[in-house]
Structure formats: C-alpha cells, structure tokens
Amino acid sequence: MADQKPAAEIADLLQEDRTFPPPEAFRAQASVRDEAVYARAARDPEGFWAGFASELEWFSPWTSVLDWKPPHARWFVGGTLNASVNCVDRHVRGARRNKAAIIWEGEPGDRRTLTYFDLYRQVSQFANVLTSLGVRRGDRVAIYLPLVPELAIAMLACARIGAIHSVVFGGFSAESLRDRINDAAATLLITADGGWRRGQVVPLKQMADEALKETPSIKNVVIVARLHDSAAPVHVKEGRDHWYHLLMQEASYTCEPERMDAEDMLYILYTSGTTGKPKGIVHTTGGYLVGTYATTKWVFDLKDEDVFWCTADIGWVTGHSYVVYGPLANGATVVMYEGAPDWPQRDRFWEIVERYGVTIFYTAPTAIRAFMRWGTEWPRRRDLSSLRLLGSVGEPINPEAWVWYYRHVGGERCPVVDTWWQTETGSILITPLPGLTTCKPGSATRPFPGISAEIRTDQGETVEVGGGFLVLTRPWPSMLRGIYGDPDRYVTQYWSRWTPDIYFTGDGAKRDRDGFFWLLGRVDDVLNVAGHRIGTMEVESALVDHPRVAEAAVVGRSHEIKGQAVAAFVTLKEGVQGGDVLMSELKDHVVRKIGAIARPDDVIFTADLPKTRSGKIMRRLLRDIAEGKALGDTTTLADPNVIARLKEQYQETGE
Ligand code: WT7
C-alpha cells in the first residue's frame, strides 16, 4: 500500500495535461454548444438570469432583477411565485401530468413511482395537513427523515404554504437535531419510525424522542410509517405525535398555494463552519429556484426523456438542489434510493441504473474512489448503456478517479462534469458545460455563465494564473441571504476578508493558462470527509465534553477513499490513562454528540499539544504529523520536545 501512493501521485501529475473534449455523439445532441453563451452572460448577467427566471411561473413579475447593496442582495425584486407550483402544478397542466416525477427504491428493495399528478395531490394534501396542525406562513418546520418520497413531499408542502423547512440529515445525532430545532425555533417536526441503512434499522423516532426532551418550540410531530411492523413499535405521545398516513386520509387534494415574495425564505440548511456551532444557511424563493433550475438544465443538458439520478441524501444541499428543486422545476424524472451503494452487493448503484435506465448520474468522488477499489467487475456486470452524462460533486476529484469514472462507468461516451459549489452558493457555480467544454480531469473548469470567480492573494490582488483563495466577485441568484438568527456572522464570515462585495469561499484554488479552476480544498478549519463538511471545532467541543478529556485538537489527514479523515489529538485530565477502551469511548462520544459522519478515524493521546508561546495550538504541525510529512518551521513552539514525542506516538498508533 505504502509504496503505491507515490506512483499514483506521479501518474496523476502526468495526466494533468490530458484533455477530454465532449464525445461527438453527445455534443451533437447537446442543448448548449455555443461558446458565445459565456460572453453574452458576462455582458449582461442580470439579463442572462432574467431569461431563466422568465421560464418559471410567477404570480406577478419582478420590477428589477437585482438590488445589490453589498453584501446584501435581493433578486427579482417585487416578483411573487411559489416553489411548489413551479415544481409540481405547472407540469400537471400539460403533457407531464402522468410522467414519473419520482422513482423511489428503498434499501430492502421496495419500490414506488409517483407521477407528477400523484406528487401534486400528495403535496397539496400534506400542505393541508400542516395547516391543520397550525403551521402558518413563516413558521419553521424541521424534517428528520430517511430518503423516502415523503421527504420531498414535505419540503414542497412547506413551500406551498410559505413555511420554512429545515431538513436535518438522518445520520445526525439526537443532540444535533435538538440544536437545529432550537436554533430555528421550529414548531413542527416530521420524522419516521425509521429507515434502512446496510440492512440495519435507523431508529429515527427514537432519536427524535431524545431530541424532543429539550425542544420547547415543537408543538406537533408527524411520523411517517416507513418500517411498519418490521421495527419495534415507536412511542407515540398523545396530543403531540400523529401518523402521517392517518392525517393524509383526511386531507383534501386541493390547496391554494401562497403567493410568496421572491425574497421570502424557502429554507434553512445547517452546515459546519469554523466555530463549534453550525450555521443555518438561509435560501430564499425566487433566486434559489432560478439558480437550481438554470444549472440543472444546462450543466446536465437535461431533456424531457432523461432519468436523472443524484445519489446525495436530501439532508445535504446537493439533495435539496439536485434531487428536489432543480430537477422538479424542470419537470424531470428523478431517481431516489434510500440506502448504501454496497447493499446487498457492490453493484447496487449499477443495478439501479440498469433497472430504471438512468441517463444522468451525479455522485461524489468518495463514492467513485470506493467503486475503483471494489473493481471494474461490478459496473461490468450491469447494462450501463442508458447513461449519457456523469457528474461529480462535493470535493476535489483526483484525475485518476475522474478517468476511471469516465472509462468504466461512462464507457467513454459520457462527459464528466466536475461541479464546484457550496451549501451557501445554493447551486453549481464552477463546472463544465458538457456539450461545450473540453475537460481536464481534476479541474472543475470554468465559472457557469453569469458567474464571476477569481483567485485572490491574501492581500486581495487578483491572480490571473496561479494559486490563492477562490472568491466570487458578483452576486448570483441562488446565493445565501444570511445565517439564520446571526446577521453579523453572515458579514464577517463571507464578506469581510477584503471589500464587502467580494465573497470568500473558504477554498483554495489555482487558475491555469486556459482560465480553468483547480480546487485545492479548504483553507479554513473545515474538513471535507467523504464529501461532508465537518468543522474541526465541533469535533473538538464534542471531545472536550467527555469527562476525561482536558483538551483536544482535530485536524484532517488525507484518506484514500474519503478524501480526508479526522485525526484527533487528545490530552486527558490529570491521572486518567489513555488506552483502546477510552479511545473507542471517545469515538462513540463524538458520534453521540454529532453523528457517525464525524467519528474520528484516529485518536492520539498525548501529554501535551504543540503550542506557541502565546498558547495557540499549532495545527499546521499536527497536520504534518498526521500526514507523516516532514515538519515545517517549529521555532515558534513553546516546547519543541512535544513534537518529537507526538511523531513517535503517531507512528505507533496510526497506520
Ligand atoms: C465545499 C462545500 C455543494 C456540494 C456539496 C458540498 C468542496 C464541493 C467541489 C468540487 C472541489 C468541492 C469545497 C466547498 N467542494 N464541490 N467539485 N471540487 N471541491 O457542499 O458541504 O457546503 O461543502 O465542498 O471545499 O467549499 P458543502
């Protein structure tokens, strides 16, 4: 293993020059083939976005496209619309009425297909249910569900009545759920009796009950019966808890949609940052819908006959934008799959592609690297000839994985779009256009038309060719409008590094001679583990919360499959001894506090952490140790011996 890595890295470097123009058959049918779209959008970005906006349905038109008072933007000012009308009603009026909107498959193999008409009726019914439980326009609704159609239905039902949804990924812990409910003061929670993951029940209601002990704002809980009799009976609290299917039986099929202002909040989605507390990213209605609609249409070259599968969980922004809002606003057929890619076998994804004739497949590099590791026999066993376009998102994709994906999944017919964006950006911002861009494996290529991205130095100088911080220099419709309940943090976090009109992404990147962007990972204390964003401070607070821990420092190290792994350096309280038992106890403690995605891969007990004379932990050195690299400058250390001891220890405990 150890001696393979340098060879792979060298191979990657040698491949950096390889270029992949759009396969000819793809190009010939692609909707966007004219390079002039970039220049046109650059000349008049507002007009460009307004073009897409006018393809949506509005109750009343906007009076101006953009009102920009840095760092606060309002898009489609004065316009009114409803997201659920755009995702459902307008398709029901025409030829898409009986088209499949959602093709769903549960992990155990159960299947359901909902047409646009089905979706329309169920969204309206559930909107009526929400109203009957006292939810009003502007109220926050928390959603903690497995990947079932009811998740999309619940989101759209909220949108229909003007309630703001806050989806919490089902893999988050009870405490994480509690904190998110409380931050938004949600009045209703939608959960399920459970879900399936790798053949195991995920006991969502049980976790929710734990959270609900300390969520005073919650008045009602709706429980989706996903498991029925296959799980232990769930606790139903009289007067507060209600079964989804029973409420739906009573509900009317018609529900007048609310007329929402373009700038009314559509949802809150929490994401990790550089502090111990996740941020509630706020997205509004008009701009967000325009951004997700436009990018789904162009980046994925979407056609009416496509079967679109984005494998992300809806609990992340990728699922919000490219399982729900973007594809449904386009009237597409989406595939949703509840479970793991290797359950019951390592060809589950390819089996699904074959069964439903998936044409567009969008997944994360961490999954692609796992497929590579599992070997080509798994995709080879299935008929993948329906695929015509592949996408990647969530973290930098190494050229080796890009080429493997192109060859062994796409059969060298399908362009690969490496799409860069963030929870905050709402929709894809740096990406190839598949009928137009000659791709370089490992590069997300160019900003989407209408988007202005640059590389800046620490001093704020623009770098034409070379590395630095990735910034955005113009507002875009689906940009975040704020951090829920924390207006100052919105300004300081994103718009204060230089002037208030420059958005700081938190990513390092370089730009090459062709103007292509190469993403290099986060430059702040945020990790990207298997495509999921984890704040090192959050993991540190979880560790320090354990009664035996005195201090903790968490850093990322590279990991073959997950991109990054979590390495925790821990000092224990006086008289406490480290050991295997305590090590797994600490890992479990983090899982209990945050969720399984944050479980540390390595826990290294140490008597001291490397600190500067002023007491600041030197994470850079810890990162070097965790990576097994030569150490950088150690002259500012208060006690240089700490490092030598740690290095020795890491080699003993680490791989
Ligand atoms: C961070 C955002 C929005 C997608 C899911 C993650 C990293 C995302 C790429 C890419 C290199 C990428 C960045 C970004 N990232 N896509 N194609 N190439 N890096 O959303 O949790 O908000 O994380 O993911 O570091 O800042 P998120």
Side-chain angles (χ1 to χ4, degrees), residues 183-224:
D183 187 76
T187 56
L188 183 135
L189 170 69
I190 304 161
T191 187
D193 50 1
W196 291 103
R197 186 77 191 178
R198 286 211 169 77
Q200 303 280 311
V201 164
V202 185
L204 289 166
K205 178 60 165 68
Q206 222 168 290
M207 312 253 280
D209 283 336
E210 202 47 45
L212 288 162
K213 288 179 184 157
E214 296 169 296
T215 53
S217 57
I218 294 286
K219 298 197 188 79
N220 289 285
V221 177
V222 177
I223 315 162
V224 174

Coordinates of all heavy atoms in Angstrom, one line a residue, residues 183-224:
D183 N -32.4 26.3 17.3 CA -31.8 27.4 16.7 C -32.9 28.1 15.8 O -33.0 29.3 15.7 CB -30.6 27.1 15.8 CG -29.9 28.3 15.3 OD1 -29.2 29.0 16.1 OD2 -30.1 28.6 14.1
A184 N -33.7 27.3 15.1 CA -34.7 27.8 14.2 C -36.1 28.0 14.9 O -37.0 28.5 14.3 CB -34.9 26.9 13.0
A185 N -36.2 27.5 16.2 CA -37.4 27.5 16.9 C -38.6 26.9 16.1 O -39.6 27.5 15.9 CB -37.8 28.9 17.4
A186 N -38.3 25.7 15.5 CA -39.3 25.0 14.7 C -40.5 24.6 15.5 O -40.3 24.2 16.7 CB -38.6 23.8 14.1
T187 N -41.7 24.7 14.9 CA -42.9 24.4 15.7 C -43.4 23.0 15.4 O -44.2 22.4 16.1 CB -44.0 25.4 15.4 OG1 -44.2 25.4 14.0 CG2 -43.6 26.8 15.8
L188 N -42.9 22.4 14.3 CA -43.4 21.0 14.0 C -42.2 20.2 13.5 O -41.3 20.7 12.8 CB -44.5 21.1 12.9 CG -45.1 19.8 12.5 CD1 -46.6 20.0 12.4 CD2 -44.6 19.3 11.1
L189 N -42.2 18.9 13.8 CA -41.1 18.0 13.3 C -41.8 16.9 12.6 O -42.8 16.3 13.0 CB -40.4 17.4 14.5 CG -39.4 16.3 14.2 CD1 -38.2 16.8 13.4 CD2 -38.9 15.6 15.5
I190 N -41.2 16.6 11.4 CA -41.6 15.5 10.6 C -40.5 14.4 10.7 O -39.4 14.7 10.3 CB -41.9 15.9 9.1 CG1 -42.9 17.0 9.1 CG2 -42.4 14.7 8.3 CD1 -42.9 17.8 7.8
T191 N -40.8 13.2 11.1 CA -39.8 12.2 11.2 C -40.5 10.8 10.8 O -41.6 10.8 10.2 CB -39.2 12.1 12.6 OG1 -38.1 11.2 12.6 CG2 -40.2 11.8 13.7
A192 N -39.8 9.7 11.0 CA -40.3 8.4 10.6 C -40.0 7.4 11.7 O -39.2 7.7 12.5 CB -39.6 8.0 9.3
D193 N -40.7 6.3 11.6 CA -40.4 5.3 12.6 C -39.0 4.7 12.4 O -38.4 4.2 13.3 CB -41.5 4.1 12.6 CG -41.8 3.6 11.2 OD1 -41.1 4.1 10.2 OD2 -42.6 2.7 11.0
G194 N -38.5 4.9 11.2 CA -37.1 4.5 11.0 C -36.8 4.5 9.5 O -37.6 4.8 8.7
G195 N -35.5 4.1 9.2 CA -35.1 4.0 7.8 C -34.2 2.8 7.8 O -33.9 2.1 8.8
W196 N -33.7 2.5 6.6 CA -32.8 1.3 6.4 C -31.4 1.8 5.9 O -31.3 2.6 5.0 CB -33.4 0.4 5.4 CG -34.6 -0.4 5.8 CD1 -35.9 -0.1 5.5 CD2 -34.6 -1.5 6.7 NE1 -36.7 -1.0 6.1 CE2 -36.0 -1.8 6.9 CE3 -33.7 -2.2 7.4 CZ2 -36.4 -2.9 7.7 CZ3 -34.1 -3.3 8.2 CH2 -35.4 -3.6 8.4
R197 N -30.4 1.3 6.5 CA -29.0 1.5 6.1 C -28.2 0.3 6.3 O -28.0 -0.2 7.5 CB -28.5 2.7 6.9 CG -27.1 3.2 6.4 CD -27.2 4.0 5.1 NE -25.9 4.2 4.5 CZ -25.6 4.9 3.4 NH1 -26.6 5.4 2.7 NH2 -24.4 5.0 3.0
R198 N -27.7 -0.3 5.3 CA -26.9 -1.5 5.3 C -27.6 -2.6 6.1 O -27.0 -3.3 6.9 CB -25.5 -1.3 5.9 CG -24.6 -0.5 5.0 CD -23.1 -0.9 5.2 NE -22.4 -0.3 4.1 CZ -22.1 1.0 4.1 NH1 -22.4 1.8 5.1 NH2 -21.4 1.4 3.0
G199 N -28.9 -2.8 5.8 CA -29.6 -3.8 6.4 C -30.0 -3.6 7.9 O -30.7 -4.4 8.5
Q200 N -29.6 -2.4 8.4 CA -30.0 -2.1 9.8 C -31.0 -1.0 9.8 O -31.1 -0.2 8.9 CB -28.7 -1.5 10.5 CG -27.5 -2.4 10.5 CD -27.6 -3.4 11.6 OE1 -27.9 -3.1 12.7 NE2 -27.4 -4.7 11.2
V201 N -31.9 -1.1 10.9 CA -32.8 0.0 11.1 C -32.2 1.2 11.7 O -31.4 1.1 12.6 CB -34.0 -0.5 12.0 CG1 -34.8 0.6 12.5 CG2 -34.9 -1.5 11.3
V202 N -32.4 2.3 11.1 CA -32.0 3.6 11.7 C -33.2 4.1 12.5 O -34.2 4.5 11.9 CB -31.6 4.6 10.7 CG1 -31.0 5.9 11.3 CG2 -30.6 4.1 9.7
P203 N -33.1 4.1 13.8 CA -34.3 4.4 14.7 C -34.6 5.9 14.8 O -34.3 6.5 15.9 CB -34.0 3.7 16.0 CG -32.5 3.8 16.1 CD -32.0 3.8 14.7
L204 N -35.1 6.5 13.8 CA -35.2 7.9 13.8 C -36.1 8.5 14.8 O -35.8 9.5 15.5 CB -35.7 8.4 12.4 CG -34.6 8.3 11.3 CD1 -35.2 8.4 9.9 CD2 -33.5 9.3 11.5
K205 N -37.3 7.8 15.0 CA -38.2 8.4 16.0 C -37.6 8.3 17.4 O -37.8 9.2 18.2 CB -39.6 7.6 15.9 CG -40.6 8.1 17.0 CD -41.0 9.6 16.8 CE -42.2 10.0 17.6 NZ -42.2 9.9 19.0
Q206 N -36.9 7.2 17.7 CA -36.3 7.1 19.0 C -35.2 8.2 19.2 O -35.2 8.8 20.3 CB -35.5 5.7 19.0 CG -35.6 4.9 20.2 CD -35.0 3.5 19.9 OE1 -35.6 2.7 19.2 NE2 -33.8 3.3 20.4
M207 N -34.5 8.5 18.2 CA -33.5 9.6 18.3 C -34.3 10.9 18.4 O -33.9 11.8 19.2 CB -32.7 9.7 17.0 CG -32.1 8.4 16.6 SD -30.4 8.2 16.9 CE -29.7 9.2 15.5
A208 N -35.3 11.1 17.7 CA -36.1 12.3 17.7 C -36.7 12.5 19.2 O -36.7 13.6 19.7 CB -37.2 12.3 16.7
D209 N -37.2 11.4 19.8 CA -37.7 11.4 21.1 C -36.7 12.0 22.1 O -37.0 12.8 23.0 CB -38.2 10.0 21.6 CG -39.5 9.7 21.0 OD1 -40.3 10.6 20.6 OD2 -39.8 8.4 20.9
E210 N -35.4 11.6 21.9 CA -34.3 12.0 22.7 C -34.2 13.6 22.5 O -34.1 14.3 23.5 CB -33.1 11.3 22.2 CG -31.9 11.2 23.1 CD -32.2 10.8 24.5 OE1 -33.0 9.8 24.7 OE2 -31.7 11.4 25.5
A211 N -34.2 14.0 21.3 CA -34.1 15.4 21.0 C -35.3 16.2 21.6 O -35.1 17.3 22.1 CB -34.0 15.6 19.5
L212 N -36.5 15.6 21.4 CA -37.7 16.3 21.8 C -37.8 16.6 23.3 O -38.7 17.3 23.7 CB -38.9 15.5 21.3 CG -39.2 15.5 19.8 CD1 -40.1 14.4 19.3 CD2 -39.7 16.9 19.3
K213 N -37.0 16.0 24.1 CA -37.0 16.3 25.5 C -36.6 17.7 25.8 O -36.9 18.3 26.8 CB -36.0 15.4 26.3 CG -36.4 13.9 26.4 CD -35.4 13.1 27.1 CE -35.8 11.6 27.1 NZ -34.6 10.8 27.3
E214 N -35.9 18.3 24.9 CA -35.4 19.7 25.1 C -35.7 20.6 23.9 O -34.7 21.3 23.4 CB -33.9 19.7 25.4 CG -33.5 19.0 26.7 CD -32.1 18.8 26.8 OE1 -31.5 18.0 26.0 OE2 -31.4 19.4 27.7
T215 N -36.9 20.5 23.3 CA -37.2 21.4 22.2 C -38.6 22.0 22.5 O -39.6 21.6 21.9 CB -37.3 20.5 20.9 OG1 -38.2 19.4 21.1 CG2 -35.9 20.0 20.4
P216 N -38.6 23.0 23.3 CA -39.9 23.6 23.8 C -40.7 24.2 22.6 O -41.9 24.3 22.8 CB -39.4 24.7 24.7 CG -38.0 25.0 24.4 CD -37.4 23.7 23.9
S217 N -40.1 24.5 21.5 CA -40.9 25.1 20.4 C -41.8 24.2 19.7 O -42.8 24.5 19.0 CB -40.0 25.9 19.5 OG -39.0 25.0 18.9
I218 N -41.5 22.9 19.7 CA -42.2 21.9 18.9 C -43.6 21.6 19.5 O -43.7 21.2 20.7 CB -41.4 20.5 18.8 CG1 -40.1 20.7 18.1 CG2 -42.3 19.4 18.2 CD1 -40.2 20.9 16.6
K219 N -44.6 21.8 18.7 CA -46.0 21.6 19.2 C -46.5 20.3 18.7 O -47.3 19.6 19.3 CB -46.9 22.7 18.8 CG -46.4 24.1 19.3 CD -47.6 25.1 19.2 CE -47.1 26.5 19.6 NZ -46.3 27.1 18.5
N220 N -46.1 19.9 17.5 CA -46.6 18.7 16.9 C -45.5 17.9 16.2 O -44.5 18.5 15.7 CB -47.7 19.0 15.8 CG -49.0 19.5 16.5 OD1 -49.7 18.7 17.0 ND2 -49.2 20.8 16.4
V221 N -45.7 16.6 16.1 CA -44.7 15.7 15.4 C -45.5 14.8 14.5 O -46.6 14.2 14.9 CB -44.0 14.8 16.5 CG1 -43.0 13.8 15.8 CG2 -43.2 15.7 17.4
V222 N -45.1 14.7 13.2 CA -45.7 13.8 12.3 C -44.7 12.7 12.0 O -43.6 12.9 11.7 CB -46.0 14.6 11.0 CG1 -46.6 13.6 9.9 CG2 -47.0 15.7 11.2
I223 N -45.3 11.4 12.1 CA -44.4 10.3 11.9 C -44.8 9.5 10.7 O -45.9 9.1 10.5 CB -44.6 9.3 13.1 CG1 -44.5 10.0 14.5 CG2 -43.5 8.2 13.1 CD1 -45.1 9.2 15.6
V224 N -43.8 9.4 9.8 CA -44.1 8.6 8.5 C -43.8 7.1 8.9 O -42.8 6.8 9.5 CB -43.1 9.1 7.4 CG1 -43.2 8.2 6.2 CG2 -43.4 10.5 7.0

